[in-house]
Every structure is written in C-alpha cells, then in structure tokens.
Amino acid sequence: MSKKKKEVIWDGNVRDAALTILLTVDKSQAYSNLLLNDTIEKYRITDAKDRGLLTELTYGTLQYKYTLDYYLEPFIRGNIDLWVRWLLRLSLYQMHYLTRIPAHAAVNEAVEIAKRRGHKGIASMVNGILRNVLRDDVRNVDEIVDDVERLAIETSHPQWLVARWVEMYGYEQAGDMLRENNVPPLQTMRVNTTRVTVEEALQVLEREGVKARRSDVLPECIHLMSGTASRTSLFKKGFATIQDESSMLPATVLDPQPGERIYDMCAAPGGKTTHIAEKMNNEGKVLASDLHAKKLNLIDENVARLGLDIVEAIPLDGRKAADLLGEASFDRVLVDAPCSGLGVMRRKPDIKYTKREEDLANLQTIQLALLDNAVRILKPGGRLVYSTCTVDRTENEGTVQAFLAKHPQMEAEQMTLPQSLMDKQQNGMLQVFPQDFGSDGFFVASFRKKGE
C-alpha cells in the first residue's frame, strides 16, 4: 500500500480534475453533477472543449464502473489504493470507449498523474497494467454464463437491480432500459409561454448559433443539439427553463387552469411549480411547499427569473399539510413524491452504486402519507396527480394500488396526453422509460375526487 501525497491542484488538467471528482463521489457519496462546476472553477478549466471532456470522462467512467472493473481484473495483482483504481478506470474508459483519444496518450497522462499523486513505483505499475491491456485487450462479457450477471456487467448496474427489473419487465425491455441509462442525456428546455412562443424561442437560439428543434412529444419542449442551455440568452432572460422532457409530464397531466388554486406539495427546486404557473398564464394562485426550508430559495430564484408572480413558496412537511392548509381548499394538487430516483441514472450515475434494495421499501410509507394529506386538501371534483422519477413498479403501481384501496372517494382517471403517449397509459397511470423518447424514466398517475 502506498502513502498518497497531499493533493495539489493541477491547473487545467482535465483528467486529474475528473479523478478528483470520482474520488469525492466514492468517498463522500456526493453527486457528480453537483461537483462538476466547482471542480471546473477549482482547476481553472476555461476552454469549452475541456469542460465538455471533463463531463464526458466523469460521467462515462462512473457509468461503466462495473464493466471497467471486469475488464481490469485479470491485469491487477494484489491490493491497490482507491485513487489508483479510479485512475485505472478513468484511463481504461478513454482507451476502450473514446476512439478519438489515442490510447498511448491516455496511458502517458495516467503515468504523469500517478507520479504527481504517488511516486515512481506507482507510476511504473500503472504504466505496466495499461500497456498490458493494450497488448492483450480486454476479455469479452459474453464469457459470463448467467444472463442476469452478464447484463449487469455489460451495462454496469448492480446485479440485484438488474434481477429486479428483469422480473418486472422482462429481459429485453430491462436490457433496453439499462443500456439507455448509459447514453448521455439530451439537453431539453421548456419555453416560458407567458413571455415568448416556441417559434420565437427557436429563432433566438438560431441567431445565437445554437442548433435546436421543437419536440415531437410536448409542444413547449425544445431539444438542443449544440451549445449549452444555461449559457443561452433564452435561459438568462427567463424565456425558458432547463428541464427534462419527462419532468414536464406532471404539469401537463395536472392541466391547471387560469384562476385556479393549485398546491405543489414537494416543489423544490421549482421546475414543475413554474410550469404549472405558466400553464395558468400567470393567473390564479400556486402554493409551493417543501420540507427543507433552505430549498425554497431555489423556487424563489426560478420564479423571479421567469417573471411569474402567482407563486408563494412556504416551508411545510406535506404529511402535515391538511392540518395547516385546511380541508378541501385546492382545485388541483401535485404530489411529485420523494422516490428512489432510478429513472434519472444517466444524469446521476452515482445513484446505481449507492441505492440498496431495502431503501425502496421505506419510501412507500412516505409517499402514501403525502397522498393522504393531498386527498384532504383537495376539493370534491378536483384532480390529484402523483408522480415520481423512478421506473420501479413497486414504488409506482404498488403505491397507486395501496392508495386507491385506502381512499374510496378517489378514482383513477384517463389522462389527456400528447397523441404519441396516449397508448402508453393504463388505468390512469403512465410509465415512461428512458428508451421511449430519450428522456428520464418517469411515472405519472391521475385521480379525481368524487363529488361535485
């Protein structure tokens, strides 16, 4: 075992920066997407191409962690330090998956990082392992006999999760979803239709040299094929919000009308809240709450940037909402419930390595408690929408079945959806998979409270 040197920032070095992120994710279970911007500033990575490479190296190495370990295993003898293992994964990711980076360049970079972070002995070991990989190539995952284990290694997902999804959805559909989880997410924006039309938004992007097109699924959604969404004037001036297309479905299904009183129960950071307000043409009242008071600033910032003035954000545990807000006081309620987040793994690849099967069982208790309160504050005839960013059938359909069994005054209702999604809904429920239209995995269910 070696003694690691004290970390010294290597200004501008993309691979060393990626290694720092990967180690922090592993040690602190921090989210890679939150670390990226801080690391870019810390390492003074100013070039846009370098920032893009840093993102690609970080996400790619995380996405294929189990696969890379499978490839490396025959070449490693004895124990190695955690940082050295991550350096080998990072280097092999470049050598195996990124054809535009010469393999010898990846090896040389790894050796220099090993010298800087460790010593010549470690550098020599890293050089030897990676050059052996170059000479002998990696073994084929087809050598794995067990179907579930092979799929888990091929797609780099925990075996318990692969087995769970194969049981729920079948081998083929589960495999499609697992592979799609490793595809970089598409940049999508939601146009603020209270201020500009979709056509006007596309014209603004065209003038700025950003390639974009209108979505075939949701009319207010646009896809970016180039550029960075947060750097566009469209975003900076509040004419659009950065949001995954699937995440736009809850407000679409809720279908709020101008002048109504709407409650968004688990609202931070405010993407769905502001979508609701935009659909109401900024007329009426939207109450947004979140259990964590410090997150309310995110809602306020989004609301202010978009120029919306019908939203009020308050700190409130949704499980106590009815006692504080009053019975039958809202026309429509959205419960975008806390969930396992298994539908957003391509944006947060760290999730698949930190989640445990036992974690999923505890979530339904919270989800049902939130829905219990939503029923009480909903007016007779009102609509309740339940949504999650997961693809787990127990969390989704299981929660809906338990909810309806407990609340006979609620009934599942047919959703009004874009034509391309109409056939996907069943019994008032819609499950979107990552492979359906290149978005996050998402679930939405719609209910009506009986009575006038």
Side-chain angles (χ1 to χ4, degrees):
M1 298 290 287
S2 66
K3 187 175 180 182
K4 185 186 164 191
K5 289 181 180 179
K6 184 179 178 182
E7 181 185 358
V8 178
I9 301 302
W10 192 349
D11 282 358
N13 191 291
V14 173
R15 291 163 179 82
D16 194 68
L19 181 56
T20 295
I21 297 174
L22 294 168
L23 285 167
T24 306
V25 167
D26 197 327
K27 291 178 179 178
S28 308
Q29 293 195 356
Y31 284 135
S32 53
N33 60 322
L34 301 178
L35 291 171
L36 269 168
N37 285 336
D38 289 342
T39 306
I40 285 170
E41 292 182 13
K42 191 175 173 183
Y43 274 77
R44 300 179 185 176
I45 297 172
T46 56
D47 185 76
K49 287 184 179 179
D50 285 344
R51 289 195 299 267
L53 179 60
L54 175 61
T55 302
E56 185 172 20
L57 292 179
T58 302
Y59 280 146
T61 306
L62 277 172
Q63 296 283 28
Y64 288 101
K65 173 184 168 183
Y66 289 159
T67 318
L68 293 166
D69 282 350
Y70 174 79
Y71 290 153
L72 283 167
E73 185 183 7
F75 299 97
I76 296 175
R77 300 287 182 267
N79 295 324
I80 57 174
D81 286 349
L82 181 66
W83 73 269
V84 179
R85 183 171 293 278
W86 274 113
L87 176 58
L88 290 170
R89 289 168 177 156
L90 174 65
S91 305
L92 181 55
Y93 173 73
Q94 298 168 73
M95 294 159 60
H96 189 72
Y97 293 100
L98 300 186
T99 54
R100 70 179 184 277
I101 296 178
H104 66 84
V107 174
N108 292 339
E109 284 279 355
V111 171
E112 290 305 312
I113 291 172
K115 286 179 184 175
R116 194 177 180 103
R117 287 188 178 242
H119 51 70
K120 288 184 178 179
I122 295 177
S124 177
M125 179 186 67
V126 166
N127 183 58
I129 290 172
L130 294 177
R131 293 203 178 277
N132 284 341
V133 172
L134 278 178
R135 185 188 68 234
D136 299 337
D137 204 0
V138 297
R139 55 183 173 171
N140 198 315
V141 294
D142 290 341
E143 296 173 11
I144 302 171
V145 177
D146 183 81
D147 288 344
V148 170
E149 182 185 357
R150 183 172 61 255
L151 188 56
I153 294 298
E154 177 201 335
T155 64
S156 191
H157 286 73
Q159 196 166 327
W160 70 264
L161 184 60
V162 175
R164 186 181 179 97
W165 283 352
V166 167
E167 183 180 356
M168 287 179 174
Y169 301 115
Y171 191 85
E172 185 176 345
Q173 188 171 12
D176 289 345
M177 176 162 54
L178 293 162
R179 293 183 188 94
E180 190 71 23
N181 280 344
N182 293 330
V183 176
L186 183 68
Q187 284 193 89
T188 52
M189 300 179 81
R190 187 192 79 231
V191 176
N192 180 359
T193 52
T194 67
R195 302 184 68 179
V196 292
T197 66
V198 175
E199 289 73 19
E200 289 169 338
L202 289 170
Q203 289 169 10
V204 170
L205 292 173
E206 186 178 5
R207 287 197 295 270
E208 294 178 5
V210 176
K211 293 181 180 178
R213 67 175 183 85
R214 189 172 194 159
S215 168
D216 296 328
V217 181
L218 295 178
E220 63 268 47
C221 178
I222 52 179
H223 296 177
L224 271 63
M225 278 72 77
S226 69
T228 303
S230 61
R231 295 175 182 269
T232 63
S233 64
L234 208 62
F235 175 78
K236 292 176 180 177
K237 292 180 179 180
F239 294 161
T241 294
I242 301 169
Q243 186 179 18
D244 183 78
E245 190 162 11
S246 289
S247 185
M248 301 177 200
L249 288 169
T252 301
V253 173
L254 190 67
D255 192 27
Q257 300 299 309
E260 288 186 331
R261 183 172 164 82
I262 311 294
Y263 179 37
D264 186 358
M265 186 176 278
C266 308
K272 299 174 188 67
T273 306
T274 52
H275 195 190
I276 290 168
E278 289 166 13
K279 283 189 165 293
M280 296 167 70
N281 198 30
N282 204 25
E283 298 172 18
K285 177 72 175 179
V286 180
L287 182 66
S289 72
D290 200 89
L291 174 62
H292 306 286
K294 62 182 180 181
K295 291 185 178 180
L296 298 180
N297 289 337
L298 298 173
I299 301 175
D300 291 336
E301 289 169 8
N302 271 318
V303 168
R305 184 180 59 83
L306 294 165
L308 303 168
D309 53 25
I310 65 168
V311 176
E312 179 187 359
I314 62 170
L316 176 62
D317 184 342
R319 292 169 291 185
K320 302 174 182 176
D323 293 333
L324 296 169
L325 300 178
E327 304 278 340
S329 52
F330 289 89
D331 297 292
R332 303 173 199 244
V333 179
L334 172 61
V335 180
D336 185 53
C339 69
S340 60
L342 297 177
V344 298
M345 283 194 287
R346 64 168 145 198
R347 296 180 190 279
K348 300 177 180 178
D350 342 49
I351 288 175
K352 60 185 174 182
Y353 307 119
T354 56
K355 290 292 179 185
R356 299 291 178 266
E357 193 161 15
E358 52 268 27
D359 298 338
L360 305 181
N362 301 324
L363 287 165
Q364 192 177 84
T365 303
I366 298 171
Q367 292 158 353
L368 289 170
L370 294 169
L371 288 168
D372 289 346
N373 275 265
V375 171
R376 290 176 59 189
I377 63 176
L378 185 65
K379 293 178 181 179
R383 176 174 295 160
L384 166 60
V385 170
Y386 168 69
S387 63
T388 71
C389 57
T390 190
V391 291
D392 193 81
R393 186 169 278 169
T394 303
E395 279 185 87
N396 296 335
E397 295 177 29
T399 299
V400 168
Q401 290 165 4
F403 168 70
L404 288 174
K406 186 177 180 180
H407 295 282
Q409 73 273 44
M410 301 298 295
E411 59 184 0
E413 64 173 2
Q414 185 83 350
M415 305 178 204
T416 301
L417 291 165
Q419 192 59 43
S420 60
L421 295 177
M422 283 297 288
D423 293 340
K424 289 185 178 294
Q425 66 170 315
Q426 291 182 335
N427 304 319
M429 298 180 288
L430 172 69
Q431 178 68 72
V432 172
F433 295 101
Q435 67 267 31
D436 286 345
F437 52 92
S439 65
D440 291 340
F442 225 90
F443 176 83
V444 187
S446 185
F447 313 98
R448 176 184 173 273
K449 191 172 186 179
K450 297 174 185 177
E452 295 301 326

PDB file of all heavy atoms in Angstrom, residues 80-91:
ATOM      1  N   ILE A  80      -4.613  -2.511  -4.401  1.00  0.00           N
ATOM      2  CA  ILE A  80      -4.131  -1.197  -4.840  1.00  0.00           C
ATOM      3  C   ILE A  80      -4.966  -0.124  -4.164  1.00  0.00           C
ATOM      4  O   ILE A  80      -6.110  -0.352  -3.773  1.00  0.00           O
ATOM      5  CB  ILE A  80      -4.200  -1.033  -6.375  1.00  0.00           C
ATOM      6  CG1 ILE A  80      -5.631  -1.251  -6.874  1.00  0.00           C
ATOM      7  CG2 ILE A  80      -3.245  -1.980  -7.066  1.00  0.00           C
ATOM      8  CD1 ILE A  80      -5.793  -0.961  -8.366  1.00  0.00           C
ATOM      9  N   ASP A  81      -4.399   1.059  -4.025  1.00  0.00           N
ATOM     10  CA  ASP A  81      -5.109   2.164  -3.380  1.00  0.00           C
ATOM     11  C   ASP A  81      -6.337   2.562  -4.191  1.00  0.00           C
ATOM     12  O   ASP A  81      -6.383   2.394  -5.415  1.00  0.00           O
ATOM     13  CB  ASP A  81      -4.189   3.378  -3.244  1.00  0.00           C
ATOM     14  CG  ASP A  81      -3.152   3.189  -2.149  1.00  0.00           C
ATOM     15  OD1 ASP A  81      -3.287   2.216  -1.375  1.00  0.00           O
ATOM     16  OD2 ASP A  81      -2.210   3.996  -2.085  1.00  0.00           O
ATOM     17  N   LEU A  82      -7.304   3.121  -3.480  1.00  0.00           N
ATOM     18  CA  LEU A  82      -8.552   3.527  -4.131  1.00  0.00           C
ATOM     19  C   LEU A  82      -8.298   4.519  -5.261  1.00  0.00           C
ATOM     20  O   LEU A  82      -8.880   4.399  -6.340  1.00  0.00           O
ATOM     21  CB  LEU A  82      -9.501   4.142  -3.096  1.00  0.00           C
ATOM     22  CG  LEU A  82     -10.862   4.598  -3.622  1.00  0.00           C
ATOM     23  CD1 LEU A  82     -11.687   3.403  -4.092  1.00  0.00           C
ATOM     24  CD2 LEU A  82     -11.622   5.386  -2.556  1.00  0.00           C
ATOM     25  N   TRP A  83      -7.419   5.497  -5.044  1.00  0.00           N
ATOM     26  CA  TRP A  83      -7.192   6.518  -6.076  1.00  0.00           C
ATOM     27  C   TRP A  83      -6.526   5.913  -7.316  1.00  0.00           C
ATOM     28  O   TRP A  83      -6.780   6.341  -8.440  1.00  0.00           O
ATOM     29  CB  TRP A  83      -6.385   7.688  -5.518  1.00  0.00           C
ATOM     30  CG  TRP A  83      -4.926   7.437  -5.257  1.00  0.00           C
ATOM     31  CD1 TRP A  83      -4.363   6.996  -4.087  1.00  0.00           C
ATOM     32  CD2 TRP A  83      -3.837   7.618  -6.173  1.00  0.00           C
ATOM     33  NE1 TRP A  83      -3.000   6.882  -4.215  1.00  0.00           N
ATOM     34  CE2 TRP A  83      -2.640   7.272  -5.479  1.00  0.00           C
ATOM     35  CE3 TRP A  83      -3.747   8.030  -7.493  1.00  0.00           C
ATOM     36  CZ2 TRP A  83      -1.386   7.334  -6.070  1.00  0.00           C
ATOM     37  CZ3 TRP A  83      -2.483   8.096  -8.091  1.00  0.00           C
ATOM     38  CH2 TRP A  83      -1.337   7.753  -7.379  1.00  0.00           C
ATOM     39  N   VAL A  84      -5.694   4.885  -7.100  1.00  0.00           N
ATOM     40  CA  VAL A  84      -5.043   4.223  -8.229  1.00  0.00           C
ATOM     41  C   VAL A  84      -6.067   3.428  -9.040  1.00  0.00           C
ATOM     42  O   VAL A  84      -6.055   3.427 -10.276  1.00  0.00           O
ATOM     43  CB  VAL A  84      -3.906   3.296  -7.739  1.00  0.00           C
ATOM     44  CG1 VAL A  84      -3.258   2.586  -8.922  1.00  0.00           C
ATOM     45  CG2 VAL A  84      -2.863   4.092  -6.962  1.00  0.00           C
ATOM     46  N   ARG A  85      -6.976   2.766  -8.329  1.00  0.00           N
ATOM     47  CA  ARG A  85      -8.033   2.021  -9.031  1.00  0.00           C
ATOM     48  C   ARG A  85      -8.885   2.960  -9.889  1.00  0.00           C
ATOM     49  O   ARG A  85      -9.211   2.638 -11.035  1.00  0.00           O
ATOM     50  CB  ARG A  85      -8.909   1.260  -8.026  1.00  0.00           C
ATOM     51  CG  ARG A  85      -9.987   0.389  -8.699  1.00  0.00           C
ATOM     52  CD  ARG A  85     -10.683  -0.508  -7.708  1.00  0.00           C
ATOM     53  NE  ARG A  85      -9.800  -1.533  -7.169  1.00  0.00           N
ATOM     54  CZ  ARG A  85      -9.531  -2.667  -7.780  1.00  0.00           C
ATOM     55  NH1 ARG A  85     -10.046  -2.935  -8.969  1.00  0.00           N
ATOM     56  NH2 ARG A  85      -8.727  -3.552  -7.223  1.00  0.00           N
ATOM     57  N   TRP A  86      -9.244   4.122  -9.327  1.00  0.00           N
ATOM     58  CA  TRP A  86     -10.037   5.079 -10.109  1.00  0.00           C
ATOM     59  C   TRP A  86      -9.239   5.637 -11.288  1.00  0.00           C
ATOM     60  O   TRP A  86      -9.791   5.885 -12.362  1.00  0.00           O
ATOM     61  CB  TRP A  86     -10.546   6.211  -9.214  1.00  0.00           C
ATOM     62  CG  TRP A  86     -11.828   5.879  -8.522  1.00  0.00           C
ATOM     63  CD1 TRP A  86     -12.042   5.688  -7.193  1.00  0.00           C
ATOM     64  CD2 TRP A  86     -13.107   5.695  -9.147  1.00  0.00           C
ATOM     65  NE1 TRP A  86     -13.362   5.387  -6.939  1.00  0.00           N
ATOM     66  CE2 TRP A  86     -14.031   5.390  -8.117  1.00  0.00           C
ATOM     67  CE3 TRP A  86     -13.556   5.740 -10.466  1.00  0.00           C
ATOM     68  CZ2 TRP A  86     -15.386   5.143  -8.387  1.00  0.00           C
ATOM     69  CZ3 TRP A  86     -14.899   5.494 -10.732  1.00  0.00           C
ATOM     70  CH2 TRP A  86     -15.797   5.204  -9.701  1.00  0.00           C
ATOM     71  N   LEU A  87      -7.944   5.823 -11.100  1.00  0.00           N
ATOM     72  CA  LEU A  87      -7.100   6.293 -12.203  1.00  0.00           C
ATOM     73  C   LEU A  87      -7.077   5.259 -13.326  1.00  0.00           C
ATOM     74  O   LEU A  87      -7.153   5.613 -14.514  1.00  0.00           O
ATOM     75  CB  LEU A  87      -5.680   6.564 -11.696  1.00  0.00           C
ATOM     76  CG  LEU A  87      -4.637   6.975 -12.745  1.00  0.00           C
ATOM     77  CD1 LEU A  87      -5.073   8.245 -13.479  1.00  0.00           C
ATOM     78  CD2 LEU A  87      -3.268   7.178 -12.093  1.00  0.00           C
ATOM     79  N   LEU A  88      -7.005   3.983 -12.966  1.00  0.00           N
ATOM     80  CA  LEU A  88      -7.015   2.922 -13.980  1.00  0.00           C
ATOM     81  C   LEU A  88      -8.371   2.866 -14.691  1.00  0.00           C
ATOM     82  O   LEU A  88      -8.430   2.690 -15.917  1.00  0.00           O
ATOM     83  CB  LEU A  88      -6.705   1.575 -13.327  1.00  0.00           C
ATOM     84  CG  LEU A  88      -5.260   1.393 -12.827  1.00  0.00           C
ATOM     85  CD1 LEU A  88      -5.139   0.127 -11.986  1.00  0.00           C
ATOM     86  CD2 LEU A  88      -4.283   1.348 -13.997  1.00  0.00           C
ATOM     87  N   ARG A  89      -9.456   2.990 -13.929  1.00  0.00           N
ATOM     88  CA  ARG A  89     -10.788   3.009 -14.555  1.00  0.00           C
ATOM     89  C   ARG A  89     -10.908   4.175 -15.529  1.00  0.00           C
ATOM     90  O   ARG A  89     -11.387   4.024 -16.662  1.00  0.00           O
ATOM     91  CB  ARG A  89     -11.869   3.143 -13.475  1.00  0.00           C
ATOM     92  CG  ARG A  89     -12.083   1.917 -12.597  1.00  0.00           C
ATOM     93  CD  ARG A  89     -12.944   2.298 -11.403  1.00  0.00           C
ATOM     94  NE  ARG A  89     -13.252   1.162 -10.538  1.00  0.00           N
ATOM     95  CZ  ARG A  89     -13.570   1.273  -9.252  1.00  0.00           C
ATOM     96  NH1 ARG A  89     -13.602   2.477  -8.680  1.00  0.00           N
ATOM     97  NH2 ARG A  89     -13.844   0.204  -8.528  1.00  0.00           N
ATOM     98  N   LEU A  90     -10.493   5.356 -15.071  1.00  0.00           N
ATOM     99  CA  LEU A  90     -10.566   6.562 -15.895  1.00  0.00           C
ATOM    100  C   LEU A  90      -9.755   6.396 -17.182  1.00  0.00           C
ATOM    101  O   LEU A  90     -10.214   6.766 -18.279  1.00  0.00           O
ATOM    102  CB  LEU A  90     -10.036   7.751 -15.083  1.00  0.00           C
ATOM    103  CG  LEU A  90      -9.877   9.090 -15.790  1.00  0.00           C
ATOM    104  CD1 LEU A  90     -11.231   9.639 -16.230  1.00  0.00           C
ATOM    105  CD2 LEU A  90      -9.175  10.091 -14.869  1.00  0.00           C
ATOM    106  N   SER A  91      -8.599   5.811 -17.069  1.00  0.00           N
ATOM    107  CA  SER A  91      -7.720   5.638 -18.238  1.00  0.00           C
ATOM    108  C   SER A  91      -8.282   4.591 -19.193  1.00  0.00           C
ATOM    109  O   SER A  91      -8.275   4.786 -20.418  1.00  0.00           O
ATOM    110  CB  SER A  91      -6.317   5.240 -17.770  1.00  0.00           C
ATOM    111  OG  SER A  91      -5.821   6.186 -16.846  1.00  0.00           O
TER     112      SER A  91
END
